[in-house]
């Protein structure tokens, strides 16, 4: 099977449209249609039902999706392995959400250097949808995410269960009364819980979509907000921040997502062991 046909098939699955897939692949819609037509002829099955709203998978298409993903992943893996630096035995490409890189994934990089020095590392930082796309197309071997989408052909393992805690800046807010609440978008589950976020504080004056940005703002301008306990611990120790007594805490688990076939790879399994060790 041609790799371009497999990538085109997965792009249509991802976007739900032949036209959108063509835009993302930088080819014409005619080219996309021709690739899928050839693929369907080779397989002897129709893979998509096309209608005005886009394209949906047939039963055969849903069955084929896992094989297409595996094919693209193996191809990408082969390309990476051919680029192994001298003196290394393999390459692992790991991606994580930005707020996870400090300190957990940084600690993991140090752990890999000490325990698996023969493994070359490619580290990526991105937003969840981007990381899932890179995982799906084989660019990443492992992605560490807070709320991963379930994908056929992938495994999901719990890495850590961190707490979101309410903290406030000390020595910055000069006015009496409660400091301004800075709301970080920790996802729909956090936002919907009574006692947390907007459910507890009403409409905030500042809403940010990234934990480190909100934390940096509070450290410089004052205020309070919910942040990962691991991220605020150094600032609690220096006295820049303090915990808000009596405030509820929110469990915020992080997961490692990787292809099923990676279960047979010792380097990936060692990398996962290292992630769990540094998280603990």
């Amino acid at each position: 099977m041609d790799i371009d046909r497999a990538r085109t098939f997965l792009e249509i699955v991802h976007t739900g449209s032949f036209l959108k897939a063509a835009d993302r692949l930088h080819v014409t819609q005619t080219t996309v249609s021709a690739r899928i037509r050839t693929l369907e002829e080779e397989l002897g099955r129709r893979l998509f039902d096309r209608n005005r709203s886009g394209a949906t998978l047939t039963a055969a298409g849903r069955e084929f999706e896992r094989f297409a993903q595996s094919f693209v992943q193996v191809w990408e893996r082969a390309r990476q392995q051919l680029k192994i630096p001298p003196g290394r035995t393999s390459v692992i490409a790991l991606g994580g959400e930005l707020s996870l890189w400090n300190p957990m994934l940084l600690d993991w990089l140090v752990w890999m250097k000490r325990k698996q020095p023969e493994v070359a590392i490619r580290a990526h930082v991105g937003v969840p949808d981007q990381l899932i796309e890179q995982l799906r197309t084989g660019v990443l071997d492992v992605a560490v995410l807070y709320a991963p989408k379930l994908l056929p052909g992938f495994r999901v393992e719990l890495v850590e269960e961190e707490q979101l805690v309410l903290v406030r800046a000390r020595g910055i807010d000069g006015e009496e009364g409660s400091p301004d609440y800075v709301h970080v978008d920790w996802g729909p589950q956090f936002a919907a819980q009574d006692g947390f976020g907007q459910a507890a504080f009403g409409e905030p004056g500042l809403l940010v979509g990234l934990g480190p940005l909100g934390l940096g703002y509070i450290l410089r301008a004052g205020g309070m907000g919910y942040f990962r306990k691991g991220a605020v611990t150094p600032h609690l120790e220096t006295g820049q921040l303090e915990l808000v007594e009596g405030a509820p805490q929110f469990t915020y688990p992080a997961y490692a997502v990787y292809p099923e076939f990676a279960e047979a790879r010792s380097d990936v399994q060692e990398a996962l062991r290292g992630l769990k060790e540094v998280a603990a």
Side-chain angles (χ1 to χ4, degrees), residues 12 15-20 49-57:
I12 297 171
T15 61
S17 164
F18 277 56
L19 180 58
K20 291 179 181 178
D49 286 324
R50 300 177 67 173
N51 49 53
R52 291 182 179 179
S53 60
T56 58
L57 286 170

Side-chain angles (χ1 to χ4, degrees), residues 9-264:
F9 169 85
L10 291 173
E11 227 25 270
I12 297 171
V13 173
H14 182 67
T15 61
S17 164
F18 277 56
L19 180 58
K20 291 179 181 178
D23 289 339
R24 287 174 61 92
L25 294 169
H26 306 293
V27 297
T28 65
Q29 188 174 356
T30 301
T31 299
V32 168
S33 298
R35 288 176 180 176
I36 297 304
R37 183 171 59 254
T38 302
L39 186 57
E40 291 176 330
E41 290 173 354
E42 290 178 345
L43 296 172
R45 293 289 187 276
R46 192 177 76 257
L47 301 176
F48 292 102
D49 286 324
R50 300 177 67 173
N51 49 53
R52 291 182 179 179
S53 60
T56 58
L57 286 170
T58 63
R62 288 192 296 272
E63 184 68 21
F64 179 68
E65 182 180 1
R66 176 177 299 189
F67 295 104
Q69 286 179 343
S70 296
F71 180 71
V72 171
Q73 289 159 7
V74 169
W75 173 261
E76 189 64 34
R77 180 66 188 166
R79 290 179 64 246
Q80 291 183 15
Q81 288 300 313
L82 291 174
K83 299 177 181 177
I84 296 176
R88 305 300 174 97
T89 60
S90 65
V91 178
I92 289 181
L94 182 141
E97 294 188 42
L98 180 58
S99 58
L100 279 165
W101 275 105
N102 188 19
M104 186 179 73
L105 296 185
L106 176 58
D107 291 343
W108 174 79
L109 289 175
V110 175
W111 187 95
M112 288 293 291
K113 179 177 175 60
R114 293 173 177 170
K115 300 294 183 72
Q116 300 290 318
E118 72 282 1
V119 178
I121 303 295
R122 293 196 175 100
H124 300 252
V125 179
V127 297
D129 287 346
Q130 179 189 39
L131 294 171
I132 287 292
E133 177 69 10
Q134 292 175 331
L135 189 68
R136 186 177 63 81
T137 56
V139 174
L140 294 179
D141 296 309
V142 182
V144 186
L145 305 159
Y146 283 124
K149 299 176 182 177
L150 296 179
L151 298 173
F154 288 85
R155 298 286 189 220
V156 178
E157 287 191 24
L158 178 67
V159 174
E160 71 168 349
E161 282 191 303
E162 188 152 36
Q163 301 294 315
L164 296 180
V165 296
L166 185 62
V167 296
R168 62 188 169 206
R170 298 178 64 180
I172 296 178
D173 293 289
E175 299 180 0
E176 295 184 358
S178 299
D180 290 337
Y181 172 68
V182 176
H183 180 74
V184 178
D185 183 8
W186 294 110
Q189 290 184 330
F190 174 78
Q193 289 285 331
D194 289 337
F196 296 98
Q198 291 163 295
F201 298 99
E203 291 298 326
L206 175 62
L207 188 152
V208 297
L210 185 65
L213 176 60
L215 181 57
Y217 173 84
I218 286 177
L219 289 170
R220 293 182 62 179
M224 66 178 181
Y226 272 95
F227 300 96
R228 294 187 307 110
K229 190 173 183 179
V232 301
T233 294
H235 304 292
L236 294 172
E237 293 173 349
T238 62
Q240 291 175 286
L241 298 175
E242 63 180 359
L243 287 171
V244 177
E245 292 186 9
Q249 299 185 0
F250 184 83
T251 301
Y252 202 61
Y255 301 89
V257 187
Y258 59 92
E260 289 178 347
F261 65 77
E263 290 180 316

